């Protein structure tokens, strides 16, 4: 029960909101009293300032000026990265870096158009946002395939190296036990030790073939992704996107609603992005994920992973919205939580790749076993990423909740 007998249960993973009456000019009313920002100056009466207000970037400016400046900057980065991508030629590292910056600018433009959609020509914004998502996804597949292969091969090497070290340890203990039988540890003798040795030998035997199989399959996917990216960059569809971004770099098509003061318009829209994130996080099983080795994530199920992937997207949108308000005052937990959820996505996709490889017809039992161990290892990484996200999110300061007034 909350103080005053209001009876509103508070969750530690859901920052509560305070709703205030609409201000002059019909400003949106839903605001979060967010002292989660360190150094937020209180308003008169000692109350914390509403979410996102008090930024020097907003004071004395219209929403059009702030949002247009942000969109111009990101559009310029997009066009600069596109030029670098074209000029990189055979420089593979330069091409990858230019593509990464291109995707980053495209995501930020799309995020701003999504969060601040009521201030834009909505039909135009929705179309451009969809095209930017297509471009970012197409360019990102090749990089994702490369990172996935590196991740899986590194995990295989780590697993087999650990198995070999454990075998050497058991052998050394067994030799010592033959000399001094009374000191022989239980794991060095008996059927359990033999079974462990057989499993390690099976893993070592199958790891090389599993790695070769993964390399063939993922390299094929990477080659197709590379071809798709080259085809996309030469298509009329891409040129239309580049032309739209070039227009955005000089003139952002905003509506008359953007002519109002930035402090009245932008923070409530950014707060809505934060609220959607908080609601999605509240639906996650954080209490369960907060216990190490809970085994909740070991089952590979797209339906189980989907809510976490959605939170990753919403966390990114919330961070991008805060960058519009004040790029120097970003909630640090958003970046940390975002990194944990990116590891979650990478591990989940790597586990899915290992499972897909294990379904290859007529592979040797040792290869299938190594792929199964690899799949389980990556699902453990999924569990660890969920735990890390919970640790990053839950300790954050929680804004004070408004208490309903009890009548009578």
């Amino acid at each position: 029960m909350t103080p005053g007998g209001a009876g509103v249960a508070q969750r530690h993973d859901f920052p509560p909101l305070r709703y205030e009456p609409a201000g002059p000019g019909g400003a949106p009313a839903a605001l979060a009293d967010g002292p989660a920002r360190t150094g937020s100056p209180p308003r008169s009466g000692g109350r914390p300032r509403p979410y996102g207000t008090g930024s020097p970037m907003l004071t004395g400016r219209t929403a059009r000026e702030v949002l247009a400046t942000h969109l111009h900057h990101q559009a310029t980065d997009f066009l600069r990265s596109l030029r670098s991508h074209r000029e990189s030629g055979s420089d593979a590292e330069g091409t990858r870096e230019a593509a990464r910056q291109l995707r980053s600018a495209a995501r930020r433009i799309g995020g701003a158009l999504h969060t601040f959609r009521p201030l834009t020509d909505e039909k135009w914004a929705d179309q451009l946002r969809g095209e930017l998502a297509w471009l970012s996804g197409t360019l990102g597949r090749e990089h994702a395939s490369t990172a996935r292969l590196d991740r899986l091969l590194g995990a295989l090497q780590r697993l087999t190296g650990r198995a070999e070290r454990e075998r050497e340890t058991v052998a050394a203990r067994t030799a010592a036990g033959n000399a001094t039988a009374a000191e022989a540890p239980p794991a060095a003798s008996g059927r359990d030790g033999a079974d462990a040795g057989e499993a390690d030998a099976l893993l070592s035997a199958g790891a090389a073939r599993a790695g070769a199989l993964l390399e063939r399959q993922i390299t094929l996917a990477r080659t197709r992704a590379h071809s798709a990216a080259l085809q996309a960059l030469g298509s009329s569809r891409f040129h239309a996107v580049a032309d739209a971004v070039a227009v955005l770099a000089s003139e952002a098509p905003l509506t008359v609603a953007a002519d109002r003061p930035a402090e009245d318009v932008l923070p409530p829209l950014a707060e809505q992005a934060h609220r959607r994130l908080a609601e999605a996080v509240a639906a996650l099983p954080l209490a369960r994920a907060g216990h190490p080795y809970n085994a909740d994530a070991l089952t590979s199920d797209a339906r189980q992973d989907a809510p976490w992937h959605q939170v990753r997207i919403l966390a990114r949108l919330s961070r991008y919205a805060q960058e519009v308000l004040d790029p120097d005052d970003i909630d640090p937990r958003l970046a940390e939580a975002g990194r944990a959820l990116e590891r979650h996505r990478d591990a989940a996709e790597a586990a899915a790749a290992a499972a897909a490889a294990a379904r290859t017809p007529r592979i040797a039992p040792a290869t299938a076993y190594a792929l199964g161990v690899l799949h389980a290892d990556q699902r453990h990484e999924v569990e660890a990423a969920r735990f890390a996200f919970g640790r990053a999110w839950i300790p954050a300061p929680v804004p004070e909740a408004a208490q309903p007034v009890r009548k009578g």
Side-chain angles (χ1 to χ4, degrees), residues 283-308 344 348 375-376 378-387:
L284 294 177
L286 285 189
R288 174 77 172 169
H291 294 283
Y293 307 108
N294 60 76
D296 209 33
L298 298 189
T299 302
S300 182
D301 186 353
R303 291 173 298 178
Q304 182 198 100
D305 294 333
W308 296 86
H344 178 277
H375 174 268
Q378 291 304 298
R379 293 307 301 183
H380 276 292
E381 292 291 328
V382 169
E383 179 183 297
R386 293 181 182 181
F387 178 77

Side-chain angles (χ1 to χ4, degrees), residues 13-233:
D13 55 346
F14 185 87
L17 306 172
R18 173 172 293 155
Y19 294 88
E20 298 184 345
L31 302 175
D33 279 338
R37 300 262 185 101
T38 303
S40 298
R43 295 182 294 173
S44 59
R47 295 178 57 204
R49 62 179 169 87
Y51 181 94
T53 60
S55 168
M57 292 188 60
L58 304 185
T59 304
R61 304 176 70 190
T62 65
R64 180 184 300 276
E65 292 171 338
V66 175
L67 186 55
T69 299
H70 178 79
L71 291 173
H72 295 342
H73 176 72
Q74 297 303 327
T76 301
D77 284 351
F78 180 97
L79 297 174
R80 185 185 299 115
S81 301
L82 177 59
R83 184 171 60 251
S84 298
H85 190 275
R86 289 171 174 169
E87 295 174 352
S88 57
S90 58
D91 182 5
E93 183 60 32
T95 301
R96 280 195 297 269
E97 178 60 21
R100 186 194 65 80
Q101 294 177 358
L102 191 67
R103 295 198 314 272
S104 176
R107 286 195 303 265
R108 281 173 163 80
I109 294 172
L113 294 178
H114 178 273
T115 300
F116 303 102
R117 182 174 179 267
L119 306 179
T120 67
D121 180 334
E122 295 184 354
K123 182 178 179 181
W124 169 87
D126 292 345
Q127 181 178 0
L128 179 57
R129 186 160 52 89
E131 292 300 281
L132 289 172
W134 161 76
L135 178 62
S136 179
T138 302
L139 295 181
R141 292 192 190 102
E142 181 181 2
H143 170 75
S145 296
T146 302
R148 189 174 307 129
L149 180 59
D150 291 344
R151 181 186 188 92
L152 288 169
L153 294 182
L156 269 177
Q157 185 177 10
R158 170 172 51 81
L159 291 169
T160 53
R162 184 175 64 190
E164 291 173 0
R165 289 192 300 271
E166 290 176 352
R167 266 205 318 277
E168 292 173 357
T169 300
V170 170
R173 288 178 178 174
T174 303
N178 291 335
T180 309
E183 297 180 0
S189 60
R191 186 59 194 170
D192 290 344
D195 289 344
E198 291 173 3
D200 292 342
L202 190 62
L203 174 60
S204 298
R209 291 184 178 180
L213 177 60
L214 288 168
E215 190 164 9
R216 285 197 305 272
Q217 292 184 348
I218 298 179
T219 299
L220 177 60
R222 182 175 60 190
T223 302
R224 290 173 176 170
H226 180 72
S227 299
L230 292 178
Q231 184 177 2
L233 290 173

